[in-house]
Amino acid sequence: MTASTVAESDTAHTGPWPLGAPPASYVLGNVRAVLADRVLADARIVVRDGRIAEVGPRPAGTAADADGAGLLCLPGLIDTHSDALEKERVPRPGAELPLDFALLSLEGKMRAAGVTTVFHGANFQHKTSHGLARTVETADWICRVVEDRAARPSAPVGHRLLYRLDARSAEGAAALAGHIDRVSPAGSPAPVPPLVSHEDHTPGQGQYADRRYMERYLRGTQGMTHEEAETHVDEVIAERGGKLPVLAANYEWLGGLARAGRIRLVGHDPDSAEAVEALGERGGSVAEFPTAIAAAAAARDRGFPVVMGAPNVLRGSSHSGNVSATDLVKEGLVTSLASDYLPSGLLASVFALARDGVLGLPQAISLVTSGPASVGGLADRGRLEAGLRADLALVDDSGAWPEVRATLRAAG
C-alpha cells in the first residue's frame, strides 16, 4: 500500500501505518470491498473515530490517505474458537514458553491471517490433549493473561475468551463459576455475555461417537498398542459413567446462567437432533461442531448459529470420522467457521469454498466475518457498514491461495 496526502481527510498520513496501528480517522481508496451481497470494485471506505462512516464507489477525481492497490477489502476476521495459544505456548513436547510471550507471538499469526477478534479457549477440565495438559490451573492462567492483553486498547488483535467446560467435571465447574461471577455477575450481567461451551468427550457419543477414532488417536499420540488403547477407552467410559450426577448438575447450572442472560451457552459436538433439542431446552443458543447432519439441521431449525471447523473444510473431512463441514455448507446449514487450531485456515477455507463454486465469495466471506459475529453476540463488527468498527483486512487474491497484505484494527 502507498500513502498520499489528500484534502478530504482530517489528517494526512505518509508513513506505513497500515502495517501498524491505523489512525482513528482515514480514507482508504482503490479497494474491492466485499459487502454482504456483492463485491464493490474501485470502492472507498471512510473511517472516522475508529468507525466506518461510509462505504461506496470512489468519487471521480478524489484521492485517499491510503491506496488499496485494488486489493480485496474484507471485514476483519472473527474467530470464535481458537486453541492455538496452547500450541504456541508448547510448540514441542517439553519446550514450554512464557504464556504472555506466546500470546504476543500468536498475535503475529493472527494478524497475518486477517483476524481482528479472537476467542481463546480456556479449558476448565483435567485431561491431556495432543500432548498438552489441560487443567483448571492452566485455564485460570490463560484467562488472566488474555484479559491483561485485551485491556490494552492499542493491541492489534481484539482478545476474548471462550470458556470451555468439561461437563462431567465438578472441579472445572467450581473454577469456572468464579470467572462467570466476576465477568458477568448476577444482577448486572455483561452487555455481551461471555461465550461458554460445554463439552462431553466420553467415547461412544459426541465427537467420539465411534470409539475407534479415540483409540486411533491414543495409538498415534501416546504410543499405545491396539490392546492398550482399547483397555484405556473402556476405563474412560467406566470412569466417566460414574459422573452422571455431576453432568446433570452442571447442565442445570449452565442452563440457569444462560436463561438469566449471564452467559451465551454453546453446545459442543452435538451428535443428534435430540441433543440439540436438549441444548435448547436448557438455554443453549449455539451449536458448535455438530457431528451429524441431523444435529446441524435441528440447530438451524431452532435458529441457532452453527459453527464448523475451517480445517475440516480444507481437509475435506472430519478427522474424527464425523460429518464433512463442506457438506453442511452445501446444505445451507453453516453460519460460521472457526479456526480450531489453525488461524490461517479461516481465509483459505472460505476462498476454497468460493473457488469450488460451493458459495459466492461474499457468502463465503460471511462465514468468517458476520457469521462468527452473530455467534459471539458482537453486533458492532463483521460487516463493511456505516457505524460498525473499522476492523479491516486487505487481501491479495491473485494467487492460488489468498494472502493478507494488511490487517487494520480500530483501537479499543
Side-chain angles (χ1 to χ4, degrees):
M1 297 179 62
T2 60
S4 59
T5 303
V6 294
E8 67 179 306
S9 173
D10 293 338
T11 307
H13 301 278
T14 57
W17 53 259
L19 301 179
S25 300
Y26 61 93
V27 177
L28 174 64
N30 188 22
V31 293
R32 290 173 290 140
V34 182
L35 307 181
D37 58 350
R38 66 191 189 282
V39 178
L40 180 61
D42 196 15
R44 181 184 73 165
I45 299 175
V46 179
V47 175
R48 294 290 179 261
D49 295 325
R51 299 277 170 163
I52 297 172
E54 178 187 335
V55 179
R58 182 173 57 164
T62 62
D65 293 310
D67 180 356
L71 296 170
L72 285 172
C73 182
L74 326 175
L77 275 58
I78 301 168
D79 188 1
T80 61
H81 183 124
S82 173
D83 291 326
L85 180 55
E86 60 185 5
K87 291 289 187 66
E88 199 74 15
R89 180 173 69 90
V90 188
R92 288 186 177 182
E96 183 173 335
L97 304 174
L99 184 60
D100 55 349
F101 167 78
L103 184 60
L104 289 176
S105 177
L106 182 59
E107 273 188 356
K109 295 179 180 179
M110 292 291 177
R111 294 180 65 203
V115 174
T116 51
T117 304
V118 57
F119 289 74
H120 299 281
N123 298 279
F124 289 82
Q125 55 188 259
H126 277 287
K127 64 177 288 188
T128 298
S129 177
H130 302 286
L132 298 170
R134 289 177 169 176
T135 68
V136 166
E137 293 75 21
T138 300
D140 286 335
W141 185 24
I142 287 174
C143 290
R144 290 195 304 273
V145 170
V146 169
E147 288 170 352
D148 286 347
R149 185 62 177 165
R152 296 175 177 264
S154 61
V157 177
H159 297 284
R160 292 173 177 263
L161 286 159
L162 169 65
Y163 300 93
R164 300 182 61 184
L165 174 65
D166 178 351
R168 301 197 191 210
S169 172
E171 182 180 5
L176 176 58
H179 287 274
I180 299 303
D181 288 343
R182 178 172 54 84
V183 301
S184 187
S188 60
V192 179
L195 275 186
V196 177
S197 172
H198 61 317
E199 55 197 54
D200 183 358
H201 287 319
T202 304
Q205 53 84 55
Q207 180 179 357
Y208 295 110
D210 185 341
R211 57 174 285 167
R212 292 175 298 178
Y213 283 92
M214 177 173 276
E215 293 169 8
R216 184 181 69 179
Y217 163 77
L218 292 169
R219 293 195 299 270
T221 61
Q222 307 297 321
M224 293 184 182
T225 66
H226 182 84
E227 292 74 18
E228 288 171 339
E230 280 190 341
T231 298
H232 181 79
V233 170
D234 287 339
E235 292 171 349
V236 169
I237 292 172
E239 185 266 335
R240 292 180 67 82
K243 295 183 178 180
L244 289 176
V246 175
L247 179 68
N250 283 345
Y251 277 171
E252 182 177 358
W253 169 62
L254 291 171
L257 292 175
R259 290 188 294 273
R262 294 178 60 192
I263 66 171
R264 187 162 172 80
L265 185 58
V266 178
H268 186 79
D269 293 341
D271 59 6
S272 65
E274 291 76 17
V276 172
E277 291 302 310
L279 171 66
E281 289 171 3
R282 62 176 170 268
S285 54
V286 177
E288 183 182 59
F289 307 155
T291 64
I293 192 168
R300 180 49 61 91
D301 288 345
R302 292 189 69 104
F304 291 177
V306 175
V307 184
M308 292 299 289
N312 185 317
V313 172
L314 287 174
R315 287 191 311 268
S317 63
S318 163
H319 73 279
S320 299
N322 297 313
V323 70
S324 159
T326 300
D327 287 347
L328 293 187
V329 171
K330 290 177 179 178
E331 296 294 326
L333 298 176
V334 178
T335 311
S336 168
L337 293 175
S339 74
D340 201 0
Y341 51 83
L342 185 67
S344 59
L346 288 171
L347 205 57
S349 64
V350 295
F351 271 82
L353 290 171
R355 178 192 63 211
D356 295 343
V358 177
L359 292 175
L361 183 62
Q363 292 72 36
I365 294 298
S366 75
L367 297 178
V368 293
T369 54
S370 60
S374 69
V375 171
L378 303 175
D380 64 344
R381 67 197 73 187
R383 303 180 306 282
L384 297 184
E385 294 181 7
L388 301 190
R389 286 180 58 93
D391 292 344
L392 310 174
L394 298 179
V395 177
D396 181 351
D397 62 338
S398 63
W401 294 101
E403 297 182 45
V404 175
R405 298 302 185 198
T407 300
L408 311 176
R409 176 178 178 261

